Amino acid sequence: MPSPSDALADLPLRDDLVGLQPYGAPQLDVPVLLNVNENTFGVPADVHAAIVAAVAEAATGLNRYPDREFGELRRNLADYLGHGLVPDQLWAANGSNEVMQQLLQAFGGPGRTAIGFPPTYSMYPLLASGTGTRYVTAPRGAAYTMTPGDTAREVRESGANIVFLCSPNNPTGTALDLEVVEAAYEAGEQARAIVIVDEAYGEFTQDGTPSALTLLPGRPRLVVSRTMSKAFALAGARLGYLAAAPEIADPLRLIRLPYHLSAVTQAVANAALTHAGTLLSNVEAIKVQRDRIVRELEALGLSPAPSDANFVFFTGLEDPRRIWEGLLEAGVLIRDVGIPGSLRVTAGTEQETTLFLSTLRDLL
């Protein structure tokens, strides 16, 4: 019997997909999961009850297709984000990955180029590959920083049609100055580049860290992507969205699958948005644990990056694989992001954070 790889070799797979590996972190059954930046606090009881009631109501009409324009959801998202946004400026899909895939389908594709600034979210090149978009990279500066001048030069020289800016950045947790976003946008003028600011962790930023949402007025090619997976503790619901000029949504209607947001997904998201205050109170508790991790890692002689996310990236490990395995043996799963001397840990509950820190201290 042929092996799976031999069987795959007999299929007419696209040349640009040959040899690629699917995206995904290890899925292991351990007590403390701090590897994929989930909200480990879970859904509060009152929000859970509201979601159950909303899904039950939606279930009575599952014989009908859902609202393909998801009007109620767009109104609720606009109200939640504020910044003077109106429903026509919002678009949603099954996770922010699908949002970005749709943007690449509409504005990328064969003969077009996307640029990213690694280390950054590893789905960007996979999304580009899946849509036939050429993907190029540009270096960051010391401590993984980006400056307006360097960013503008790289965007201009690449001639990119799509620019990915991740802020707070995954895996480093660092936020971008808005001057970097402005510089990238201006540098992409000649190529009419769509500039995507991926703010998946936007709710976790430090006080005083501004959002790229403030830059939307007057910039029709600027897109800010968000998700309900992190702050809203809805990773399993798969709801991502973007804010942009109203005209951005029209090209996305050309390539989205019919009725791409199920009635159940819309019901879950709408119920959660009506309880945003309760969910965001957990965000503040997560930020406390994140800042605690940073302080205690510094006390251990390690070098955590300043974090505006719900995770901490840290360096200074002589043997990160030994540390990762030791934590796993103790029932704590964190993320090896493949950067020498480094690991990344999600900020969990107080108890989860304590177990991570005490185990790490013993291993060091």
Side-chain angles (χ1 to χ4, degrees):
M1 178 178 292
S3 69
S5 58
D6 291 336
L8 180 59
D10 291 335
L11 295 176
L13 185 66
R14 279 172 27 195
D15 291 342
D16 59 329
L17 296 181
V18 173
L20 293 183
Q21 296 296 316
Y23 173 84
Q27 290 187 302
L28 303 175
D29 185 14
V30 297
V32 179
L33 297 171
L34 302 177
N35 65 322
V36 289
N37 303 335
E38 296 161 321
N39 184 328
T40 69
F41 281 65
V43 178
D46 58 337
V47 184
H48 178 271
I51 289 173
V52 170
V55 170
E57 181 178 352
T60 64
L62 289 182
N63 59 311
R64 302 294 185 183
Y65 287 113
D67 174 11
R68 69 169 176 263
E69 291 300 311
F70 43 96
E72 181 184 0
L73 177 57
R74 294 169 86 173
R75 289 191 294 272
N76 285 333
L77 287 170
D79 289 343
Y80 166 67
L81 287 180
H83 293 280
L85 294 168
V86 297
D88 284 349
Q89 292 182 265
L90 276 296
W91 182 261
N94 295 283
S96 58
N97 285 327
E98 186 176 70
V99 168
M100 289 183 282
Q101 181 186 56
Q102 290 177 342
L103 288 166
L104 283 162
Q105 288 175 306
F107 301 105
R112 298 196 173 185
T113 299
I115 187 171
F117 296 82
T120 192
Y121 186 34
S122 57
M123 271 301 298
Y124 299 152
L126 295 178
L127 291 168
S129 177
T131 56
T133 308
R134 176 173 171 257
Y135 185 76
V136 300
T137 62
R140 290 173 177 259
Y144 309 113
T145 57
M146 294 173 61
T147 66
D150 289 344
T151 303
R153 183 185 67 254
E154 297 290 352
V155 170
R156 191 179 301 110
E157 291 179 357
S158 71
N161 308 98
I162 306 280
V163 180
F164 285 112
L165 299 175
C166 191
S167 181
N169 186 47
N170 182 6
T172 61
T174 47
L176 289 176
D177 290 335
L178 292 188
E179 289 81 3
V180 173
V181 179
E182 293 174 303
Y185 188 89
E186 292 169 8
E189 184 70 41
Q190 184 172 355
R192 296 187 300 163
I194 298 293
V195 177
I196 304 170
V197 183
D198 182 355
E199 290 190 349
Y201 303 94
E203 285 89 349
F204 298 98
T205 55
Q206 302 279 358
D207 292 341
T209 300
S211 166
L213 292 168
T214 61
L215 299 180
L216 286 175
R219 293 182 175 87
R221 294 178 289 103
L222 181 63
V223 175
V224 180
S225 174
R226 289 283 187 101
T227 182
M228 295 184 73
S229 292
K230 311 301 181 182
F232 279 79
L234 292 179
R238 310 309 301 132
L239 196 290
Y241 58 98
L242 64 76
E247 53 266 31
I248 287 289
D250 282 336
L252 303 186
R253 290 185 176 92
L254 300 176
I255 51 81
R256 60 107 177 258
L257 294 175
Y259 307 104
H260 70 291
L261 276 181
S262 77
V264 171
T265 298
Q266 293 183 47
V268 170
N270 283 320
L273 285 163
T274 61
H275 292 76
T278 300
L279 288 161
L280 294 181
S281 67
N282 280 345
V283 167
E284 294 305 313
I286 291 168
K287 290 165 68 173
V288 168
Q289 296 307 313
R290 174 202 63 199
D291 296 341
R292 173 191 172 197
I293 291 172
V294 169
R295 291 193 305 271
E296 297 205 23
L297 290 180
E298 289 175 338
L300 290 172
L302 300 174
S303 299
S307 179
D308 277 86
N310 70 332
F311 58 84
V312 178
F313 171 82
F314 59 101
T315 63
L317 298 169
E318 293 183 6
D319 188 353
R321 190 67 189 179
R322 180 184 70 83
I323 299 297
W324 185 89
E325 291 175 348
L327 286 163
L328 180 61
E329 186 175 344
V332 181
L333 179 61
I334 68 170
R335 189 71 174 267
D336 183 348
V337 294
I339 298 175
S342 305
L343 292 170
R344 189 195 70 192
V345 60
T346 306
T349 64
E350 181 178 2
Q351 294 78 9
E352 290 170 333
T353 300
T354 296
L355 180 58
F356 160 70
L357 289 168
S358 62
T359 305
L360 177 63
R361 189 177 299 109
D362 292 342
L363 290 168
L364 291 173

